Amino acid sequence: MIVRDSPATAVLRPRHTAVGGRVSALLQVRELNVLTALLVVVALISFSTPYFLTTDNLMGVFRSFSLIAIMSIGMVMVIITGGIDLSVGSVMGLSSLVTALGFQSGLPTAVCILGGLATGLLFGLFNGVLITVIRLPPFIATLGSLSIGRGLMYIITHGVPLTPDTPDVFAEIGQGYVGLVPVPVVIMLAMTIVFSVVMRKTRFGRHVYATGGNEMAARLSGVKTGRVKLLVYMLSGLIAGLAGIVSFSRYLSAEPASGFGAELDVIAAAAIGGASLAGGVGSVEGAIIGAALAGIIANGVVLMNINTYAQQAITGAVILIAVSLDVWRSRSKGA
Amino acid sequence: MSLFLEMRDVSKTFPGVRALNKVDLEVRLGEVHALAGENGAGKSTLMKIMTGVYTADPGGRILIEGEPIVIRDAVHARALGISIIYQELSMVENLTVAENIFLAREPLRASGFLDKARMNREAAEVLATLQMDVSPVTPVAQLSMGQKQMIEIAKAISYRSKIIIMDEPTASLSHHEAVTLMGQIRRLRQQGIGIVYITHRLDEIFEIADRVTILRDGSTVDSLPIAEVTRDILVRKMVDRELSQLYGKHVCHATSEVLLDVKGLTLDQPRPHQAKVKNIDFSLYRGEVLGFFGLIGAGRTEIMEMIFGMRASTGTIAIDGRQVAIHEPSDAIAHGIGFVTEDRKGQGLVLGMNVRENFSLTHLEAYSPNFFVNRQKETARCRDFVKSLGIKTPSTEQRVVNLSGGNQQKIVIAKWVARSPKILIVDEPTRGIDIGAKAEVHALLARLASDGMGIIVISSDLPEVLAVSDRVIVIKDGRISQTFERAQASQETIMEAATA
Ligand SMILES: Nc1ncnc2c1ncn2[C@@H]1O[C@H](COP(=O)(O)OP(=O)(O)OP(=O)(O)O)[C@@H](O)[C@H]1O
Ligand SMILES: [Mg+2]
């Protein structure tokens, strides 16, 4: 066969390969931008208050956004396939309730934990079947599960929190430390590493991106797009289940409103971190950075003694500014 | 013919690619100006600069009627009288013809509501000037490719454009539709409109153009009145190297071993406006190149989509003598079938992914025996194909959206060839591919057949079907109208079978 090479590309090729590097260049740009935004926010907050950059405060902040961050890992995978999972808040709450019920019936810790995880997995499976078999739009399917999940919690608890006795080891999950680092933060970091590798280096990860990038082209290339979507919703459910267990272990009380509205924070984390709701774009690291950005801004607003009633509005405004800068920067770098 | 638009020393650099290097172009009113050049030469990029989609690098100039001007964006370009009909059409499928023509400038009544009556009336007037027999209230989704293109032209006319750019307008048209288009272009020229015409079909240049400008690797090679060029001169200026001969000697590698056997294949629940494909029987032999010809809408693509599991069907499909059940494309692929689809943006490529990821999507298992993908192996194999198919890209990490149309097409071919299926179906494989690369694709198909692959070629380009096929099946109205051995197949006999 014919080998040819045009002068124009030949001259420029070496330089580009060196820069182009490993992963898709654009993804890296996006993540670096959010990361820069995060560092700027951190710098600003630590200049204006001495309480921010203390180990105690930082670890507290990390722990407070770790639940959202953990769930954003499942969410970002769903979003990359072009879907959405509105049920994570309810699933998290229900799973903490199931775990609590286990303890109330005197079951062993491992069984209680498995019960919580199974709750999440089942809900994920339910969502996945609705979406891939019955072909409901993900928004509708998971909105339905959101209501069912929350409804079940009210039916079970009658609106009263559940506070069973639990063994001390169980409380370690939500309250313990590894060295200076809270256990939920360790879980978050471990999950980030695992799923970042899955998304970047495995066949499954590639299929997730392809499914969201162009489902038709992926299917015609042999990707079992239905199975990919089913798996992604199951993972999202399972991860929300895990978040529920961590949350119950932290407060040792399963509130009927636990996880209420969390889905919005989780989706926001993924989107702030560069995931596109149109599918095909996003990353696990981005979602974690997004959760961190939102969490740190919220903490900074509290530390800076801003009027309590204004805090939420200011958090929203700062997020918008940070993300606008990021979008504006990545666009001016493009063509 | 007055000079309307001049581009002087126009350059454009993308990260890692100099797409244009000091290009000059002059467009006159009442003239058809052809733009020729290989895949990735910079034709589409130049047109995007002319229509304000891209901003040129500093240093160049654009003049309209002698006045320097900065074209800010597409809306501004249109106000200046420059319209474009893109390589890939961009219409809102579920709006009507009139609504598409007047998109974003709908006539309003004094009350602020849409003036539908006026919109439809004016649309009908424009359609009449094109002698088009389409109602303004027809949804665009119901139109053929050729009709959609005419609607784009109608839209350009309704903007009172002075220049209309057409980027490979005939690539997805039937022969008949292409003839109609040529007629329209002549009419526009007579009305004093300037046409910039991009095509890889050299015959069209000689048929319609008054002047041709040739680009190579982002530079202007020459610009000549058509009377001063011959086909040979044109090709030499475009490619600057020896070409493997187009439609070279044909060698038949077909064996008598049946690879694919299709019996009674019938489309389940055809949608309206779709060929009712019925009772298709045929066999494909190992090493054979089997051509499928038919007019657009005859049902060729539907037949292949049934075999590939994209459409529900009844009938039987046997591969290597064993009957197989195919419900999904992944089933077909598992049974050794590959399918280079006709619509590269919609079905062929994940535009946001890079060259390597698109390439390996069909055969990722080859690089990941267990969970993890071996990036080195994947990149190495992809590089081999980029080189052997002459795919013009700065690296395997370039996102495919950024490649030229013809180079995207080559990636779709590469991703299937790399899987080495037993049976390869190619639907319009050389659409948008330049003449040099076309010969290479034909040579590639012949080589694959000689290695024992069975190949089905669908093409609306009759000379292409004749050149590459050992046998030709002609489809008409969803049925096999006739089968020709190579010796009996000629343009006339096949056309006769397709239309009579
Ligand atoms: N947005 C972009 N980003 C990076 N490179 C680009 C971009 N658009 C075009 N290019 C590069 O510029 C060169 C010229 O592309 P262009 O699309 O103008 O070619 P063309 O002459 O229209 O080819 P074809 O006949 O295949 O359509 C190609 O090498 C292409 O990869
Ligand atoms: Mg082009």
Side-chain angles (χ1 to χ4, degrees):
Chain A
M1 297 219 344
I2 302 90
V3 174
R4 59 175 171 165
D5 213 342
S6 75
T9 45
V11 173
L12 290 160
R13 183 171 295 154
R15 194 190 80 194
H16 189 270
T17 320
V19 180
R22 301 153 56 77
V23 204
S24 166
L26 195 88
L27 268 181
Q28 285 189 333
V29 171
R30 283 284 330 236
E31 277 148 27
L32 281 179
N33 279 348
V34 196
L35 196 57
T36 317
L38 179 65
L39 293 179
V40 170
V41 167
V42 166
L44 285 179
I45 299 176
S46 40
F47 274 127
S48 43
T49 160
Y51 307 112
F52 180 70
L53 268 190
T54 61
T55 316
D56 272 0
N57 182 58
L58 275 184
M59 288 307 151
V61 175
F62 281 16
R63 183 165 58 191
S64 70
F65 72 67
S66 62
L67 280 183
I68 296 297
I70 288 172
M71 287 193 283
S72 78
I73 294 173
M75 182 67 76
V76 80
M77 292 191 285
V78 168
I79 289 180
I80 292 171
T81 65
I84 191 105
D85 186 352
L86 296 176
S87 69
V88 290
S90 292
V91 171
M92 172 189 146
L94 191 63
S95 130
S96 75
L97 179 59
V98 168
T99 311
L101 283 173
F103 283 115
Q104 200 173 43
S105 336
L107 294 172
T109 304
V111 175
C112 298
I113 289 179
L114 279 179
L117 292 176
T119 307
L121 192 63
L122 269 176
F123 260 80
L125 180 68
F126 180 62
N127 286 332
V129 167
L130 289 179
I131 289 159
T132 59
V133 180
I134 311 200
R135 291 178 197 269
L136 287 186
F139 191 96
I140 303 294
T142 57
L143 188 63
S145 333
L146 177 156
S147 298
I148 294 175
R150 186 62 58 195
L152 285 177
M153 289 181 70
Y154 286 121
I155 292 171
I156 296 170
T157 61
H158 296 288
V160 184
L162 217 61
T163 49
D165 287 334
T166 55
D168 287 348
V169 287
F170 177 73
E172 286 293 307
I173 300 175
Q175 301 171 15
Y177 285 83
V178 176
L180 290 172
V181 188
V183 174
V185 177
V186 175
I187 295 177
M188 170 187 89
L189 291 175
M191 301 257 303
T192 306
I193 292 169
V194 169
F195 281 96
S196 168
V197 170
V198 166
M199 290 301 282
R200 284 174 186 280
K201 306 236 183 248
T202 70
R203 199 154 56 186
F204 171 73
R206 194 72 68 77
H207 286 175
V208 171
Y209 280 105
T211 300
N214 183 344
E215 185 169 351
M216 186 65 162
R219 192 165 79 95
L220 296 184
S221 298
V223 176
K224 294 182 173 127
T225 51
R227 188 187 294 178
V228 169
K229 288 199 274 185
L230 186 67
L231 272 172
V232 151
Y233 284 95
M234 286 170 68
L235 278 173
S236 179
L238 183 65
I239 291 171
L242 174 68
I245 293 164
V246 175
S247 149
F248 176 63
S249 159
R250 171 137 168 72
Y251 303 107
L252 295 179
S253 158
E255 313 276 336
S258 155
F260 186 85
E263 59 279 352
L264 288 184
D265 292 332
V266 175
I267 294 167
I272 293 169
S276 155
L277 293 178
V281 180
S283 71
V284 171
E285 306 88 280
I288 299 297
I289 299 171
L293 185 62
I296 287 173
I297 291 172
N299 175 252
V301 171
V302 173
L303 289 184
M304 284 192 269
N305 277 328
I306 292 169
N307 178 330
T308 331
Y309 297 113
Q311 281 174 6
Q312 197 168 4
I314 288 176
T315 307
V318 177
I319 290 175
L320 285 184
I321 293 169
V323 179
S324 303
L325 284 176
D326 154 42
V327 170
W328 175 72
R329 273 187 47 175
S330 37
R331 191 165 36 199
S332 61
K333 270 185 197 162
Chain B
M1 290 183 286
S2 65
L3 183 58
F4 180 73
L5 179 137
E6 290 169 79
M7 300 178 95
R8 298 276 171 232
D9 289 334
V10 168
S11 303
K12 177 74 191 172
T13 316
F14 296 108
V17 187
R18 165 134 330 126
L20 294 174
N21 187 11
K22 302 203 168 173
V23 170
D24 291 336
L25 185 73
E26 296 182 353
V27 189
R28 292 182 172 71
L29 298 180
E31 180 182 79
V32 177
H33 192 140
L35 205 53
E38 288 185 288
N39 293 134
K43 305 178 295 293
S44 299
T45 304
L46 188 62
M47 293 306 106
K48 284 181 184 159
I49 289 175
M50 210 154 127
T51 49
V53 177
Y54 292 151
T55 316
D57 295 347
R61 283 178 307 147
I62 301 178
L63 302 101
I64 289 187
E65 292 177 320
E67 294 292 317
I69 191 143
V70 177
I71 301 176
R72 290 189 304 270
D73 53 30
V75 176
H76 186 208
R78 216 146 42 194
L80 293 167
I82 308 169
S83 286
I84 184 162
I85 297 166
Y86 282 109
Q87 214 162 343
E88 325 280 336
L89 294 181
S90 45
M91 309 196 93
V92 187
E93 294 274 327
N94 41 18
L95 293 188
T96 67
V97 168
E99 284 164 345
N100 265 286
I101 293 179
F102 288 98
L103 197 62
R105 52 181 180 128
E106 294 80 359
L108 299 181
R109 283 182 228 259
S111 58
F113 287 103
L114 276 184
D115 190 347
K116 282 216 168 159
R118 188 171 136 214
M119 186 161 83
N120 288 334
R121 197 175 56 240
E122 289 183 7
E125 281 165 19
V126 182
L127 293 171
T129 65
L130 290 169
Q131 300 186 346
M132 264 193 83
D133 187 20
V134 169
S135 156
V137 293
T138 318
V140 161
Q142 290 180 11
L143 302 183
S144 73
M145 218 44 184
Q147 288 173 314
K148 285 182 195 167
Q149 210 142 41
M150 293 300 161
I151 304 302
E152 290 273 15
I153 295 177
K155 188 170 173 178
I157 293 176
S158 76
Y159 273 106
R160 313 205 182 291
S161 304
K162 299 213 171 66
I163 294 182
I164 301 180
I165 301 164
M166 303 187 186
D167 197 349
E168 300 189 37
T170 50
S172 42
L173 295 193
S174 69
H175 176 70
H176 177 73
E177 289 173 328
V179 171
T180 316
L181 178 69
M182 292 296 151
Q184 295 295 7
I185 292 176
R186 289 199 186 90
R187 208 189 314 261
L188 295 173
R189 171 168 60 189
Q190 230 154 41
Q191 294 166 7
I193 291 175
I195 308 279
V196 181
Y197 191 88
I198 300 179
T199 186
H200 288 295
R201 301 187 181 169
L202 303 189
D203 299 341
E204 291 175 0
I205 295 184
F206 290 101
E207 186 185 338
I208 194 90
D210 301 302
R211 167 172 281 277
V212 56
T213 294
I214 301 117
L215 293 185
R216 193 202 305 145
D217 289 332
S219 304
T220 318
V221 178
D222 213 339
S223 182
L224 300 161
I226 200 73
E228 294 174 22
V229 241
T230 63
R231 196 186 161 92
D232 281 347
I233 296 179
L234 188 56
V235 170
R236 209 159 325 121
K237 285 186 190 287
M238 274 166 59
V239 296
D240 191 33
R241 74 192 141 81
E242 282 307 310
L243 270 190
S244 32
Q245 201 192 344
L246 193 55
Y247 305 146
K249 206 163 112 323
H250 181 87
V251 183
C252 179
H253 301 285
T255 63
S256 57
E257 189 185 334
V258 176
L259 197 56
L260 171 72
D261 194 39
V262 173
K263 282 222 164 56
L265 200 63
T266 300
L267 187 58
D268 244 15
Q269 306 166 337
R271 289 170 227 154
H273 311 287
Q274 218 172 42
K276 297 182 177 46
V277 182
K278 250 194 199 137
N279 279 325
I280 302 292
D281 295 331
F282 74 91
S283 305
L284 170 73
Y285 299 90
R286 188 178 297 284
E288 183 184 37
V289 180
L290 177 59
F292 266 74
F293 183 78
L295 302 181
I296 286 190
R300 300 163 306 175
T301 299
E302 282 82 357
I303 296 175
M304 300 311 149
E305 289 179 348
M306 287 189 282
I307 297 176
F308 202 62
M310 292 161 66
R311 287 168 188 276
S313 61
T314 54
T316 64
I317 299 171
I319 291 173
D320 280 333
R322 240 179 311 138
Q323 195 172 321
V324 294
I326 294 174
H327 304 293
E328 261 294 302
S330 54
D331 300 334
I333 294 168
H335 285 114
I337 306 179
F339 189 11
V340 175
T341 45
E342 133 188 70
D343 167 12
R344 62 176 168 254
K345 296 238 154 124
Q347 307 185 321
L349 296 170
V350 184
L351 286 178
M353 288 183 130
N354 63 31
V355 172
R356 170 178 51 81
E357 291 160 338
N358 270 285
F359 166 77
S360 62
L361 199 56
T362 52
H363 57 289
L364 208 49
E365 320 80 77
Y367 317 113
S368 56
N370 44 34
F371 215 47
F372 293 98
V373 177
N374 182 331
R375 178 78 61 82
Q376 269 91 36
K377 256 169 92 179
E378 188 190 11
T379 307
R381 186 120 162 92
C382 182
R383 285 216 179 108
D384 288 346
F385 271 84
V386 164
K387 218 165 159 188
S388 67
L389 286 177
I391 298 172
K392 215 170 144 183
T393 174
S395 84
T396 53
E397 302 306 300
Q398 177 77 311
R399 299 202 307 156
V400 297
V401 233
N402 292 335
L403 297 193
S404 81
N407 286 301
Q408 291 177 347
Q409 179 66 26
K410 291 184 191 176
I411 291 171
V412 181
I413 296 176
K415 74 178 209 178
W416 284 108
V417 171
R419 194 187 155 84
S420 18
K422 273 192 271 189
I423 298 163
L424 182 64
I425 305 171
V426 294
D427 196 352
E428 306 285 0
T430 58
R431 166 175 297 171
I433 281 191
D434 66 49
I435 51 159
K438 196 163 168 175
E440 288 158 26
V441 168
H442 293 167
L444 174 66
L445 293 180
R447 209 195 44 178
L448 294 172
S450 79
D451 292 344
M453 201 180 276
I455 298 176
I456 295 177
V457 178
I458 303 179
S459 172
S460 307
D461 183 359
L462 190 44
E464 173 169 278
V465 174
L466 284 170
V468 301
S469 313
D470 301 324
R471 219 160 34 111
V472 180
I473 292 180
V474 178
I475 305 292
K476 181 170 172 280
D477 297 333
R479 288 164 192 267
I480 293 183
S481 133
Q482 218 173 326
T483 304
F484 293 89
E485 292 303 320
R486 184 175 177 82
Q488 309 142 8
S490 71
Q491 301 238 15
E492 294 72 33
T493 51
I494 290 189
M495 220 41 203
E496 163 99 29
T499 51

